[in-house]
Amino acid sequence: MLIRQRIVQKTLLVLYFLLSYNGVQGENKLSKLEYSELEKQLKLLNKPAVKTIKTKYGDTYDCVNFYKQPAFDHPLLKNHDFHPKIKPTLARTLQNSDTSAANESSGIWLKERGCPFGTVPIKRITKDDLIRQRHIPPPEAIAYEAPLSNTNNSSDPKRSYISSQGYKLAIVQIPNDPNNKFAGAGMSASLWNPRIESPQHTTCRLKIQKGSDSLQAGWRVDPTLYGDTKTRFFVHFQAGNTHCFNTLCPGFVIVSSKYPVDGVFDPVTQRGDKKVLEIAMFIERDLANGNWWLLFGESNEQVGFWPQRIFNNLASFATSVEWGGVAYSPPGVSEPPMGSSCFPIGDPNYDAYCRRLNVLNDNGETVDIDKTTVRVDDSDRYGVMDVPHWRGGKYQHMAFYGGPGGFETLC
């Protein structure tokens, strides 16, 4: 029975790839109007470069003048007063812990150490990128079908929830409550590279949300978005009906000349390794002006920010926070693996995890959190374990997550 199921899954996957490939090939035969529109979009996205850097992974980054980056094409950012030396006013910071385990840099550059001051790295977009990215699925649905119950104890029975549009979640979260006022959240996440095929993607993310607005940061394996199966840094925002990854549309203002928002994480963790490779990241609200900053690594590198003015709901505080894994496959295609590709067993050397889960209150103070819930959309394919006090000391809240998806596990 299992062998027959695997054969059916593989057959459906091959059929989907063939259909998708033919569709994309058809789109390569562009009309004059479509070609013209693509050229306009490329010109809008690919700004004039002060310097160009090619990475060892084959990516090309243009070092773009800070003031000419794509973020400022947003109609609400036309008359901004931002500058290359802009700094946030933050109450942080979570003290360094286990820094030896952190993978501080994506290490994507060759001989250079990034872009010159006053410029920011923007990944050059090609026509093939734009054609492929037409197949990026819509974002996850905001609302879930049923209320969640507290299940801090990993031995408690877990309820299943059905996500719309092909998404499967295995997360720990602070459920949405209109009375919540979060000025940010943070985590340290282990880095993995699950095997993903073209129409699928898999993600580890930190997400904060209020209403129809949300912010995300983490790592992602996504051939549709990136054109490869490498583990990459990503950011995403949703403001009402608008949603966008990285710098593919205006909104996220980059300030760092070193860390591109779509850079490769290499090396990544191998299951059973004694040394786990991980990265810390934080999303925090500047209490002086409401801008939402992304901080990266143990040194709290300021990567960039989402300006307050592009949001409605997140113009104020967030009301929910999530940590963990998300997997996506379109209808008829087997679910991809998530995290380490194995169900969690509660061991950080074998499991994908998010640790040091923390939030900031409305005064910007870092707060330990105990009252969290778990959400697993498909417990036959994915799992999550919520361990608020994994070991002694502050900020030791752990979320173990992962699973093989619709493929056979070798764990």
Side-chain angles (χ1 to χ4, degrees):
M1 184 67 182
L2 178 60
I3 295 174
R4 182 180 297 174
Q5 184 180 7
R6 289 179 60 196
I7 292 172
V8 171
Q9 289 175 342
K10 288 182 178 180
T11 302
L12 288 171
L13 195 59
V14 169
L15 286 172
Y16 185 91
F17 292 156
L18 289 173
L19 291 171
S20 297
Y21 178 80
N22 289 336
V24 173
Q25 291 300 303
E27 287 182 273
N28 279 328
K29 299 176 182 178
L30 301 174
S31 68
K32 289 184 179 181
L33 179 60
E34 289 173 321
Y35 183 86
S36 176
E37 288 300 318
L38 276 183
E39 289 296 325
K40 287 180 182 178
Q41 194 173 355
L42 286 173
K43 188 175 181 180
L44 189 65
L45 289 169
N46 294 322
K47 305 297 184 180
V50 174
K51 178 182 178 180
T52 296
I53 302 175
K54 290 191 175 181
T55 75
K56 60 184 179 181
Y57 302 107
D59 298 326
T60 299
Y61 284 90
D62 291 323
C63 298
V64 175
N65 182 294
F66 173 86
Y67 295 101
K68 295 181 180 180
Q69 63 178 293
F72 299 134
D73 291 330
H74 196 293
L76 297 178
L77 300 180
K78 292 295 185 182
N79 299 313
H80 69 87
D81 56 359
F82 306 134
H83 54 83
K85 294 184 179 180
I86 187 170
K87 299 290 182 183
T89 304
L90 301 175
R92 167 109 10 219
T93 263
L94 181 66
Q95 295 300 310
N96 291 359
S97 172
D98 295 343
T99 54
S100 62
N103 184 11
E104 276 291 316
S105 171
S106 60
I108 68 165
W109 309 118
L110 292 172
K111 295 180 180 179
E112 295 89 348
R113 295 184 178 180
C115 290
F117 176 77
T119 68
V120 295
I122 306 293
K123 188 171 181 287
R124 187 177 296 177
I125 302 300
T126 67
K127 190 187 304 177
D128 286 341
D129 290 332
L130 293 182
I131 293 172
R132 191 183 61 253
Q133 288 162 5
R134 291 180 179 183
H135 298 275
I136 292 176
E140 304 159 43
I142 293 295
Y144 12 86
E145 287 192 356
L148 301 174
S149 59
N150 288 332
T151 57
N152 276 331
N153 190 327
S154 60
S155 64
D156 287 349
K158 298 176 178 61
R159 298 176 60 188
S160 294
Y161 301 89
I162 300 173
S163 292
S164 64
Q165 303 167 342
Y167 289 92
K168 297 291 187 292
L169 278 62
I171 60 170
V172 169
Q173 67 176 5
I174 302 177
N176 184 61
D177 183 334
N179 296 317
N180 288 340
K181 290 184 177 181
F182 300 127
M187 70 175 185
S188 293
S190 57
L191 298 168
W192 297 83
N193 183 245
R195 292 186 178 182
I196 301 299
E197 301 291 352
S198 181
Q200 308 165 328
H201 70 245
T202 192
T203 299
C204 169
R205 59 105 187 273
L206 162 67
K207 179 181 181 180
I208 68 171
Q209 182 177 312
K210 182 179 181 182
S212 59
D213 293 351
S214 66
L215 302 174
Q216 298 185 49
W219 60 258
R220 189 177 189 90
V221 182
D222 190 339
T224 305
L225 178 61
Y226 296 116
D228 60 35
T229 56
K230 297 179 177 66
T231 301
R232 291 179 179 266
F233 190 27
F234 88 98
V235 299
H236 179 273
F237 79 91
Q238 184 165 347
N241 294 324
T242 299
H243 81 107
C244 187
F245 287 99
N246 306 329
T247 58
L248 291 178
C249 65
F252 183 74
V253 180
I254 297 177
V255 300
S256 173
S257 60
K258 295 191 298 182
Y259 296 108
V261 294
D262 37 25
V264 175
F265 288 118
D266 183 32
V268 296
T269 305
Q270 301 299 319
R271 197 164 191 267
D273 282 358
K274 292 183 178 179
K275 183 178 181 181
V276 178
L277 297 171
E278 64 174 34
I279 193 65
M281 57 191 69
F282 313 92
I283 298 175
E284 300 191 16
R285 186 174 187 265
D286 189 331
L287 298 182
N289 51 40
N291 297 332
W292 290 92
W293 282 80
L294 174 63
L295 310 181
F296 178 87
E298 298 291 343
S299 58
N300 296 311
E301 174 79 17
Q302 294 153 17
V303 177
F305 63 93
W306 294 273
Q308 180 194 44
R309 68 186 74 173
I310 71 172
F311 298 106
N312 289 318
N313 295 305
L314 278 178
S316 60
F317 298 99
T319 56
S320 67
V321 182
E322 300 176 5
W323 302 264
V326 183
Y328 171 83
S329 62
V333 176
S334 294
E335 291 82 355
M338 179 193 295
S340 69
S341 304
C342 299
F343 286 101
I345 59 174
D347 186 332
N349 295 107
Y350 289 84
D351 297 342
Y353 65 76
C354 304
R355 71 181 183 95
R356 296 194 302 178
L357 309 187
N358 64 94
V359 297
L360 275 69
N361 63 20
D362 56 352
N363 293 320
E365 300 164 334
T366 305
V367 178
D368 264 328
I369 45 171
D370 286 340
K371 294 183 179 180
T372 49
T373 65
V374 299
R375 175 181 173 183
V376 181
D377 288 332
D378 190 338
S379 58
D380 291 331
R381 290 171 169 77
Y382 308 107
V384 64
M385 298 173 66
D386 188 12
V387 187
H389 304 287
W390 183 65
R391 64 183 183 184
K394 284 189 172 183
Y395 313 121
Q396 296 304 328
H397 198 144
M398 295 277 288
F400 299 99
Y401 71 93
F407 296 91
E408 182 181 8
T409 176
L410 300 177
C411 305

